[in-house]
Amino acid sequence: MKWGKRLGAAVVGMAAVLGVVTAPAQAVTAAAAPDISLANVKAHLSALQTIANQNGGNRAAGRPGYPASVSYVAQKLRDAGYNVTLQSCTSCAGSNQNIIAEWPQGDANQVIMLGAHLDSVSAGPGINDNGSGSASILEVALTLARENPAMAKRVRFGWWADEESGLRGSRFYVNSLPQTERTKIKTYLNFDMIGSDNWGYFVYDDVASVKAVFDEYFRTIGIQTEGDTEGDGRSDHASFKSAGIPVGGLATGAGYTKSAAQQQKWGGTAGRPFDSCYHRACDTLSNIPDTPLEKNSDAIAYALWKLAVGTSTGPDFSLGLSPSSGTVQAGQSTTVTVNTATTSGAAQAVSLSASGLPAGATATFNPASVQSGGSSTLTIATSASTPNGTSTITVTGDGTSVDRTAQYTLTVGDVSVRTFTNGTDFALNDYATVNSPITSSATGAATSPVKVSITGTHTCSEDLRISLKAPDGSTYSVKPTGSLPCTDLGTRTYSVPVTNEAASGTWTLVLYDAYAQDTGTLDSWTITV
């Protein structure tokens, strides 16, 4: 959650007018909502903590921990069958990405959207602010996929970039939506800090009918709520509210102080902040208790089932791709896993096809048809004549009762460029080792092998052994293994495979002159990489 200004009353009034949100007549009762696994939510939080630990102690926008967090959440969603889009936010710090995940069921003209910001502040890992909201809606999304209920409305989830410096990710998303798409979002629910250590139970009070859904749940477990004053205008719901989209959400408090009356209502300690580690380095796993995290996660599921789940409408399935994008050079191939899941009714046969391929490219599926619940491998092969550029390939699953689609973004072009600089002749004494530093730079995937070329005059009878040490410390023996006989004059070229991580930096070519028997003739070698 960030500090910011509250929105004006005029905007609140607009949201209230547009925000009449009721469950559809055919919807199942809210009691059908499943229990959300606290253990699973905590596992997601543990993963976010690990990501922060491995990336400078935080997951802030523009820092390495943020894209690592995006990768974790997006892969979980793809594996569950969601249509996942990574939206580059050009106005965000470091041009970070929003994650948009849609469950492919329900009326696409009536969208219930749930969101949470995924970034932390730079001071710490942000496990409550806002790992708690991010992890909870992730597990709600995965539970929705596992339960496979019939949907009356379309459900969409968003994980926002760069909230902490001005709601930039959510604002970018809302501003990029055409007005016709904005009007399809009937309610946006926001979850920012729902596991505070000195917690309260706050419900956004912008739209009475949305607040009533959450209050209904908390009444069933004997908890009183309050309107969320501290969060007004300070989290991502403000981006939707300012566009006239009805909003709601939950919070457990940030830097405000708990009153004596609130202590009587909820327990905890009066006179202390709701989150004593708000925007601090101590916002770690030890800062987040089970009780508010579990109850708020269940409240999220309750609201989602109440607002979006409907009665069964017949057999249906979902279709998802993993990965959802890739880059190749002309003439190369790439593979994509096509995942299907039965979302209602009985499993059905699904025939797979692809359209939108660039010129000279082909698509094959193995197998070409699956039962919903099964998977297939899509191979996209380009030819030497396939032009550079980006194409959106639509994969269609033709079922017996319904069709579903998913999109794959294919980029054809140069995937890596590597340059090396070494223009020095090295004299090699008998019984000696020469270390030749080589400066390299790389862009793109940079997975092609390194080719080592050695030329020179070798006048002795000993062997020459060659190895290449990469910037990450890996040592590669230059083939052929063993040694280079001294009678082999002229140019020798060897190929050394390297990984992405080893591509850039300072390499060292090591020449080892072994078993020399002559009287110290100097052997000159030119090394080219």
Side-chain angles (χ1 to χ4, degrees):
M1 179 185 291
K2 72 171 292 293
W3 290 96
K5 297 179 180 179
R6 299 180 186 176
L7 295 179
V11 175
V12 175
M14 181 186 297
V17 170
L18 296 175
V20 180
V21 181
T22 58
Q26 73 272 29
V28 298
T29 63
D35 178 70
I36 300 302
S37 168
L38 175 63
N40 289 354
V41 175
K42 292 173 70 175
H44 301 317
L45 289 175
S46 180
L48 295 178
Q49 177 73 67
T50 298
I51 288 169
N53 293 344
Q54 294 172 343
N55 292 279
N58 64 72
R59 301 178 299 101
R63 308 287 183 88
Y66 184 78
S69 301
V70 169
S71 296
Y72 174 81
V73 173
Q75 192 57 54
K76 291 286 185 184
L77 295 162
R78 291 190 186 105
D79 291 345
Y82 278 83
N83 292 333
V84 179
T85 300
L86 300 184
Q87 181 191 45
S88 294
C89 173
T90 57
S91 59
C92 293
S95 296
N96 282 294
Q97 294 175 313
N98 294 322
I99 306 172
I100 310 299
E102 188 160 305
W103 188 241
Q105 286 193 71
D107 185 352
N109 292 313
Q110 299 188 73
V111 176
I112 303 298
M113 191 165 188
L114 295 79
H117 74 87
L118 188 55
D119 63 317
S120 73
V121 293
S122 59
I127 297 305
N128 185 32
D129 185 14
N130 183 37
S132 60
S134 294
S136 294
I137 67 168
L138 173 58
E139 188 54 34
V140 169
L142 300 181
T143 302
L144 180 68
R146 287 192 295 268
E147 293 286 320
N148 293 332
M151 305 301 296
K153 296 180 182 179
R154 187 66 55 95
V155 176
R156 186 181 302 162
F157 294 86
W159 285 262
W160 310 118
D162 207 8
E163 185 266 1
E164 294 292 359
S165 60
L167 317 182
R168 292 181 179 179
S170 58
R171 183 176 294 118
F172 181 86
Y173 172 77
V174 173
N175 289 343
S176 69
L177 290 174
Q179 185 58 37
T180 54
E181 292 301 314
R182 290 186 190 181
T183 59
K184 293 178 182 179
I185 303 176
K186 303 307 178 185
T187 307
Y188 171 76
L189 305 176
N190 193 66
F191 306 97
D192 190 352
M193 302 182 66
I194 58 171
S196 305
D197 63 338
N198 191 32
W199 66 91
Y201 291 98
F202 298 102
V203 180
Y204 295 6
D205 54 4
D206 304 272
V207 179
S209 59
V210 180
K211 183 177 186 295
V213 174
F214 288 112
D215 286 342
E216 182 179 74
Y217 168 76
F218 283 109
R219 279 197 302 272
T220 67
I221 58 174
I223 290 177
Q224 299 178 63
T225 67
E226 289 185 8
D228 182 31
T229 302
E230 183 179 12
D232 281 352
R234 290 176 51 191
S235 191
D236 293 295
H237 61 292
S239 300
F240 291 81
K241 185 175 177 180
S242 63
I245 297 171
V247 299
L250 301 173
T252 51
Y256 279 20
T257 300
K258 177 176 278 189
S259 68
Q262 290 169 329
Q263 180 190 33
Q264 287 291 319
K265 186 184 299 183
W266 298 318
T269 305
R272 282 186 53 225
F274 288 100
D275 183 355
S276 57
C277 287
Y278 176 56
H279 282 190
R280 297 173 60 196
C282 58
D283 187 9
T284 65
L285 285 173
S286 61
N287 183 49
I288 192 162
D290 289 352
T291 299
L293 189 65
E294 180 176 29
K295 295 187 186 306
N296 279 282
S297 296
D298 287 340
I300 295 170
Y302 185 97
L304 175 58
W305 257 251
K306 182 92 172 180
L307 296 174
V309 172
T311 56
S312 177
T313 57
D316 203 351
F317 68 95
S318 64
L319 182 72
L321 305 178
S322 180
S324 61
S325 63
T327 302
V328 298
Q329 289 178 315
Q332 291 182 338
S333 299
T334 187
T335 59
V336 184
T337 300
V338 182
N339 297 305
T340 67
T342 302
T343 55
S344 66
Q348 58 187 291
V350 179
S351 297
L352 300 170
S353 61
S355 59
L357 293 160
T362 60
T364 56
F365 294 87
N366 184 24
S369 180
V370 298
Q371 284 291 110
S372 56
S375 62
S376 176
T377 299
L378 164 62
T379 299
I380 302 172
T382 63
S383 66
S385 63
T386 300
N388 288 351
T390 299
S391 303
T392 299
I393 299 172
T394 299
V395 176
T396 300
D398 183 4
T400 55
S401 58
V402 68
D403 294 344
R404 295 296 177 205
T405 61
Q407 279 71 47
Y408 180 84
T409 302
L410 176 69
T411 300
V412 180
D414 292 334
V415 297
S416 64
V417 176
R418 184 186 287 113
T419 59
F420 293 87
T421 302
N422 175 268
T424 306
D425 288 350
F426 288 88
L428 178 61
N429 277 310
D430 297 333
Y431 298 101
T433 299
V434 169
N435 292 306
S436 169
I438 305 160
T439 301
S440 73
S441 62
T443 61
T447 56
S448 60
V450 171
K451 291 185 177 180
V452 182
S453 176
I454 303 173
T455 61
T457 303
H458 199 192
T459 61
C460 60
S461 59
E462 73 276 10
D463 292 340
L464 186 68
R465 294 178 178 173
I466 308 167
S467 63
L468 191 66
K469 188 173 183 180
D472 65 355
S474 303
T475 299
Y476 300 91
S477 295
V478 176
K479 295 183 178 182
T481 57
S483 59
L484 171 66
C486 119
T487 54
D488 286 359
L489 304 178
T491 300
R492 299 293 299 245
T493 300
Y494 304 102
S495 181
V496 180
V498 296
T499 63
N500 289 359
E501 293 77 15
S504 297
T506 300
W507 295 69
T508 303
L509 184 65
V510 180
L511 305 181
Y512 178 54
D513 190 357
Y515 313 118
Q517 300 297 323
D518 62 9
T519 58
T521 302
L522 296 181
D523 305 318
S524 295
W525 299 88
T526 297
I527 305 159
T528 304
V529 180

